Amino acid sequence: MIPFLDLKKINAQYEIELKEACSRVIDSGWYILGNEVTEFEKEFATYCETEHCLGVANGLDALVLILRAYIEMGIMQKGDEVIVPSNTYIASILAISENGLTPILVEPNIDTFNLDPTLVEQAITGKTKAILTVHLYGQVTGMDELNAIAKKHNLKIIEDCAQAHGALYKGKKVGSLGDAAGFSFYPGKNLGALGDGGAVTTNDSELATTIAALRNYGSHEKYKNLYKGMNSRLDEIQAAMLRVKLRYLDNEIQARQSVAKAYLEGIHNQFIELPVVEDVNAHVWHLFVIKTTQRVELAKHLNDNGVHSLIHYPIPPHRQLAYQEWKDDSFPISEEIHEQVLSIPISSVMDSKIINEVIRLVNKYNV
Ligand SMILES: *Cc1c(COP(=O)(O)O)cnc(C)c1O
């Protein structure tokens, strides 16, 4: 069976260094907010070309904390609206509602799966305070258009970079393209820890200071609490794992890009639409997502022949039971995407034999 993502094999490449880093933390006797987190924050800020990075517990909390900080800073208040793509992973939306803010769903472009800037402007009201854009599957959103809209309407731009570590827009790294960004280091992400982890990057010093307190019970000085904060810290042990894996992130991205190039060149099937890519080398290919009206049959054909595929995502957010308030709303582009997408294996540990086998089987699919 060709697995969708062989995490064990991915981490085995770095086994010696990961075990050394693990021992270093055990031997240090210091397990929360110590040297490993501080060093990782510096290294990841440098990588993302931002001034600040704050390690937090996971990607959802990274986004929750950015919005919470804007509320504490008086920039947003409960009831304000945040624009978010209607086809994103649910976590982007949860971060908004968790703060008592209102998520406003805006449809993506059917080809790129990313927010459609022309629809964003129509959704802005007097209560809109931010656009939470998601670089879905690893491809960056049209940031120039979004930044222009944000400037015109005085909105914050928050990037959800959970699927896009290292992706580029006009040569600049994601995480540095808006006012603040949230990253996830969930094990299956392109930069994955060996457990949960997340980070915020920003060039806004006040935002960084506020989040540093909020992630640590709202404490700005030991035993003094400025805010009603959370406990959401990146563990020392995960920071140590991430410092190892960050050194190889660019290799990981290049390997994924070569799989994507092989798929884009090799897959030819009238029943399948390949992803529309602006720049194959700027995209970091967290997922390789094809579209087909025959998803059930194609997935079965692949599975019967030993290739594991997944759906990202089968149910659109407005059809989730958690968001009953949207049950009568319709987002046709998002619905079409959710009905037709299928993700085929992509990772840094696929050799050409495996890649060619996936291509052969996808091309062989016939009704
Ligand atoms: C994974 C993911 C998140 C959440 O990250 P966690 O670390 O799992 O909390 C948020 N947004 C997107 C787009 C994701 O893919």
Side-chain angles (χ1 to χ4, degrees):
M1 194 78 189
I2 297 175
F4 183 74
L5 183 69
D6 193 342
L7 272 183
K8 188 173 164 180
K9 200 167 171 185
I10 289 173
N11 287 323
Q13 302 174 99
Y14 318 120
E15 183 179 343
I16 294 169
E17 284 173 86
L18 289 171
K19 285 182 174 166
E20 274 170 14
C22 197
S23 299
R24 188 172 72 224
V25 176
I26 294 170
D27 293 346
S28 77
W30 193 281
Y31 308 113
I32 299 282
L33 293 187
N35 187 51
E36 298 291 339
V37 169
T38 305
E39 291 303 313
F40 173 71
E41 288 174 340
K42 283 188 206 152
E43 290 161 10
F44 197 59
T46 302
Y47 182 84
C48 295
E49 301 159 2
T50 58
E51 274 170 48
H52 308 281
C53 169
L54 296 131
V56 301
N58 54 64
L60 171 59
D61 279 4
L63 298 170
V64 168
L65 282 160
I66 292 167
L67 292 166
R68 182 75 48 88
Y70 281 136
I71 292 173
E72 294 293 354
M73 289 159 70
I75 289 169
M76 293 178 194
Q77 56 183 19
K78 289 197 190 312
D80 281 343
E81 296 174 353
V82 177
I83 289 170
V84 64
S86 55
N87 63 321
T88 185
Y89 180 58
I90 198 77
S92 326
I93 298 168
L94 290 172
I96 301 169
S97 42
E98 171 68 22
N99 277 298
L101 300 162
T102 306
I104 300 296
L105 302 182
V106 170
E107 291 263 68
N109 176 297
I110 188 92
D111 294 321
T112 64
F113 307 113
N114 278 333
L115 258 186
D116 184 339
T118 56
L119 300 178
V120 168
E121 193 144 28
Q122 296 165 22
I124 293 170
T125 72
K127 285 189 162 183
T128 312
K129 289 291 156 63
I131 302 168
L132 200 174
T133 187
V134 184
H135 308 310
L136 202 66
Y137 309 147
Q139 177 162 243
V140 185
T141 326
M143 292 304 293
D144 283 351
E145 291 89 338
L146 287 186
N147 277 318
I149 293 169
K151 202 167 168 205
K152 184 168 155 199
H153 297 274
N154 193 25
L155 310 177
K156 294 289 181 194
I157 297 267
I158 301 160
E159 298 174 82
D160 181 339
C161 299
Q163 303 190 0
H165 321 70
L168 297 171
Y169 182 74
K170 301 191 172 171
K172 287 178 71 184
K173 291 258 175 63
V174 296
S176 72
L177 304 171
D179 294 288
F183 287 86
S184 165
F185 307 123
Y186 178 80
K189 302 289 159 97
N190 286 15
L191 177 59
L194 275 66
D196 274 315
V200 173
T201 57
T202 183
N203 289 322
D204 180 339
S205 300
E206 188 187 351
L207 184 76
T209 316
T210 309
I211 292 175
L214 282 172
R215 73 172 171 184
N216 194 30
Y217 316 111
S219 173
H220 60 303
E221 269 176 59
K222 200 166 170 121
Y223 302 127
K224 287 190 179 172
N225 296 73
L226 204 49
Y227 313 106
K228 300 184 184 84
M230 312 177 18
N231 174 351
S232 180
R233 302 171 298 214
L234 180 65
D235 289 343
E236 282 286 285
I237 203 122
Q238 296 308 337
M241 301 296 100
L242 289 165
R243 290 182 68 198
V244 172
K245 292 190 70 181
L246 179 57
R247 294 203 284 274
Y248 299 100
L249 177 57
D250 285 340
N251 295 350
E252 176 83 18
I253 292 169
Q254 275 163 24
R256 285 171 176 270
Q257 285 166 346
S258 54
V259 179
K261 284 175 198 165
Y263 283 168
L264 290 170
E265 277 167 31
I267 296 177
H268 302 283
N269 187 319
Q270 58 168 317
F271 301 107
I272 290 165
E273 266 181 70
L274 288 168
V276 172
V277 187
E278 272 144 32
D279 177 354
V280 76
N281 295 313
H283 195 316
V284 293
W285 301 101
H286 175 58
L287 296 168
F288 193 94
V289 177
I290 59 180
K291 280 208 312 253
T292 172
T293 53
Q294 303 180 25
R295 179 167 71 187
V296 176
E297 299 82 351
L298 175 62
K300 182 175 184 309
H301 160 80
L302 293 176
N303 196 60
D304 289 349
N305 288 284
V307 174
H308 190 202
S309 61
L310 289 174
I311 298 169
H312 299 92
Y313 297 91
I315 305 172
H318 68 284
R319 290 283 169 268
Q320 295 289 356
L321 293 177
Y323 287 100
Q324 291 286 328
E325 58 266 49
W326 295 324
K327 72 177 191 313
D328 298 322
D329 294 350
S330 110
F331 294 93
I333 297 173
S334 196
E335 281 155 31
E336 183 181 324
I337 289 172
H338 286 80
E339 274 161 24
Q340 297 190 0
V341 288
L342 188 71
S343 310
I344 58 175
I346 189 162
S347 78
S348 58
V349 292
M350 293 169 70
D351 60 24
S352 53
K353 203 171 133 239
I354 291 178
I355 298 167
N356 289 333
E357 177 63 0
V358 175
I359 294 172
R360 190 184 69 81
L361 286 168
V362 171
N363 287 344
K364 217 178 108 188
Y365 172 76
N366 211 321
V367 192

